[in-house]
Amino acid sequence: AQSVTQLDSQVPVFEEAPVELRCNYSSSVSVYLFWYVQYPNQGLQLLLKYLSGSTLVKGINGFEAEFNKSQTSFHLRKPSVHISDTAEYFCAVTRPGTYKYIFGTGTRLKVLA
Amino acid sequence: ETGVTQTPRHLVMGMTNKKSLKCEQHLGHNAMYWYKQSAKKPLELMFVYSLEERVENNSVPSRFSPECPNSSHLFLHLHTLQPEDSALYLCASSQAGGRTRDTQYFGPGTRLTVL
């Protein structure tokens, strides 16, 4: 069965510092991987996704993620965060040919002034 | 209206009430989803509709009853709920057929409290 682990429930970071949010998944078959962001009182919004091809994926708002098959990871990074990046970030995995998305428990990013 | 809208945004109901949540998407998508978001838990996929046909029912109790009258509208009918059903209910839609490679677009959710 597939699963997603986001080990960090909360990550505080100062403004303009770099940040990495970790995501590990378990699956014995090929997968699609996603990062979504949820701002307060809003639904989820796609940041980026990996379907195939280049393992480095660039998304919106300056975020990027790297798919590492050997380590079954898909960590999200940003070189310099802003106050406006304060939100909850969700990693998700799906398998081709199914309708099921498996989400992690989320990481709350708090950017400090 | 653009994107995915949900009404009501907040709902408080007793355990014996019957209520419905509504979702509408203005994106021309063919697949719609219901998720439950509880604190400290992963998002739980509840139901998936593709071209108005239910294609996924993720072991959801029968006190939750979905309805998809057309590809733009999705309802979640609620009856005899339990306090543990209190959560944020999110609706999402995606393009043709609900293939998992397609991006899902989420509504803002309905915050449900069951007393």
Side-chain angles (χ1 to χ4, degrees), chain A residues 34-56:
Chain A
F34 302 77
W35 274 100
Y36 282 85
V37 60
Q38 186 177 30
Y39 298 104
N41 300 314
Q42 294 186 30
L44 280 69
Q45 176 185 355
L46 181 73
L47 274 178
L48 48 81
K49 61 183 176 183
Y50 171 80
L51 303 179
S52 65
S54 172
T55 57
L56 183 63

Side-chain angles (χ1 to χ4, degrees), chain A residues 32 34 36 38 41-46 49 51-52 88 90 94-105, chain B residues 9 33 35 37 40-43 45 48 50 55-56 58 88 90 97-104 106-108:
Chain A
Y32 299 140
F34 302 77
Y36 282 85
Q38 186 177 30
N41 300 314
Q42 294 186 30
L44 280 69
Q45 176 185 355
L46 181 73
K49 61 183 176 183
L51 303 179
S52 65
E88 188 139 23
F90 293 91
T94 72
R95 193 157 47 90
T98 74
Y99 290 97
K100 281 194 176 180
Y101 280 74
I102 308 297
F103 281 83
T105 50
Chain B
R9 293 293 308 274
Y33 309 75
Y35 286 90
Q37 186 178 25
K40 309 294 183 190
K41 287 186 176 181
L43 253 70
L45 179 65
V48 181
S50 176
V55 295
E56 187 78 31
N58 210 22
L88 183 68
L90 292 166
R99 293 166 304 176
T100 53
R101 62 186 293 132
D102 295 332
T103 300
Q104 292 192 359
F106 285 80

